[in-house]
């Protein structure tokens, strides 16, 4: 791939999803776009770009941006944070939950493993405070393909063996004739799925008590990272928490977003209207 | 250093699994069937056992039941590793005293994840 093709794709990714693809990682472009190139019978990335330039409104541009993002995830990836959410944060919020309902959003949740992991923990919880509380979980991803996979609730042989104990597998999944594993109806009922780009306005999704966005902003350019964080934080309830990956930080990026006192590595927003802005 | 006994009648599987488990800082010993494995355990009880199901002489399930009746036989953490991966077989292995179950084929990430589940790494 020549330099100008790389630069054009990198710009498309940055503007579309916030993802920063440095020149040292340009190999990701060809490997992640490979399936689209084959399907559309393009000889290479340059041909694909020419086609997008000629038809800027075709859905292919959005599909490319989504395909370039990382899909890597596994069940219970941020285990410690998830356990703390279910064992401490939700029970603390429960007494003042409006209508006995709490809402969690896994933003950039890829094929849904984060959401289903939280649903399993909630199902297993014997905490009295959560007994009469309905916890609704939404998982979203920029990629329609990943959302479709999350919605299907079907996971492959390798997926169900990473992060998931055999007890949890047998209690929450059933094996299909295809060799795949299907999440139980109980888990599926708890989890909703949407295709959504966190760089765009999120208000249509409503307000959430917990938002997780793990291992998503780490790969973004800093301006886009701030934009994503502001968008997410705006959807937090007054006492809501935003949880990002353990190797990621939001410190210094957004004015009005403060480290949470209840959950290490998480953030709360200032409730004054207009307090949230990208830091200068 | 913790020790792990790898029990499988396939030499290739023993070698592949052995390398993966060595990377997780285990000292590895091997056995080609359940009877061989039981003999090895009587001499030196390992911390972990990665156990195949279908083997000649003594299969994995018979070995596991025998192991759990041995002196010190409750100590090793047993991770079953088998192509018999329907819910009935997995359930039977777990009821017979296995601590975890890996469905074949496996890779290094799966072994790492399953060993982490049972606190071996």
């Amino acid at each position: 791939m020549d330099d100008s093709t790389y630069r054009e794709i990198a710009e498309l990714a940055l503007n579309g999803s916030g993802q920063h693809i440095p020149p040292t990682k340009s190999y990701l472009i060809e490997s992640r776009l490979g399936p689209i190139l084959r399907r559309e019978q393009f000889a290479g990335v340059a041909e694909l770009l020419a086609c997008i330039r000629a038809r800027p409104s075709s859905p292919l541009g959005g599909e490319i941006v989504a395909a370039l993002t990382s899909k890597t995830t596994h069940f219970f990836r941020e285990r410690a944070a998830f356990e703390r959410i279910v064992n401490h944060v939700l029970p603390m919020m429960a007494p003042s939950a409006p209508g006995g309902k709490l809402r969690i959003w896994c933003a950039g949740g890829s094929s849904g493993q984060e959401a289903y992991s939280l649903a399993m923990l909630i199902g297993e919880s014997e905490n009295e405070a959560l007994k009469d509380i309905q916890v609704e979980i939404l998982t979203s991803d920029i990629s329609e393909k990943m959302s479709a996979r999350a919605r299907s609730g079907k996971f492959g042989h390798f997926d169900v063996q990473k992060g998931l104990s055999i007890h949890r597998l047998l209690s929450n999944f059933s094996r299909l004739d295809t060799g795949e594993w299907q999440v139980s109806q109980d888990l599926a009922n708890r989890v909703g799925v949407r295709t959504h780009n966190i760089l765009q306005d999120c208000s249509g999704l409503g307000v959430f008590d917990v938002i997780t966005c793990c291992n998503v902003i780490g790969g973004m350019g800093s301006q886009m990272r701030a934009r994503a964080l502001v968008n997410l934080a705006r959807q937090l309830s007054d006492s809501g928490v935003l949880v990002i990956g353990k190797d990621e930080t939001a410190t210094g990026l957004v004015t009005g977003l403060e480290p949470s006192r209840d959950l290490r590595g998480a953030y709360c927003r200032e409730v004054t209207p207009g307090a949230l802005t990208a830091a200068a | 250093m913790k020790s792990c006994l790898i029990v499988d009648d396939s030499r290739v599987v023993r070698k592949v699994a052995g390398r993966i488990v060595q990377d997780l800082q285990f000292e590895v010993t091997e056995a080609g069937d359940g009877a061989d494995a039981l003999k090895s355990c009587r001499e030196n009880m390992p911390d972990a056992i990665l156990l195949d199901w279908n083997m000649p002489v003594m299969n994995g399930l018979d070995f596991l039941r025998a192991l759990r009746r041995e002196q010190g036989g409750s100590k090793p953490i047993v991770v079953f590793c088998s192509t018999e991966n329907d819910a009935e077989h997995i359930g039977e292995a777990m009821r017979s005293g296995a601590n975890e179950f890996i469905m074949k084929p496996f890779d290094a990430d799966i072994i790492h994840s399953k060993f982490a589940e049972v606190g071996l790494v």
Side-chain angles (χ1 to χ4, degrees), chain B residues 41-117:
Chain B
C41 287
R42 281 174 184 149
E43 284 163 14
N44 205 347
M45 202 57 89
D47 298 299
I49 300 175
L50 195 65
L51 179 65
D52 183 25
W53 191 303
N54 293 314
M55 290 178 291
V57 189
M58 182 190 251
N59 71 29
L61 203 63
D62 290 340
F63 160 77
L64 177 57
R65 288 172 178 149
L67 170 79
R68 294 306 193 203
R69 286 193 298 269
E70 289 284 316
Q71 173 95 25
S74 59
K75 184 196 96 172
I77 289 176
V78 176
V79 179
F80 237 109
C81 186
S82 175
T83 48
E84 305 287 352
N85 49 23
D86 53 277
E88 291 73 36
H89 277 93
I90 298 172
E92 193 177 6
M94 301 309 286
R95 282 191 300 276
S96 301
N99 300 84
E100 251 303 331
F101 196 103
I102 290 173
M103 301 182 283
K104 280 182 181 173
F106 58 81
D107 62 11
D109 286 345
I110 290 179
I111 293 194
H112 190 182
S113 165
K114 293 291 186 170
F115 272 35
E117 284 295 330

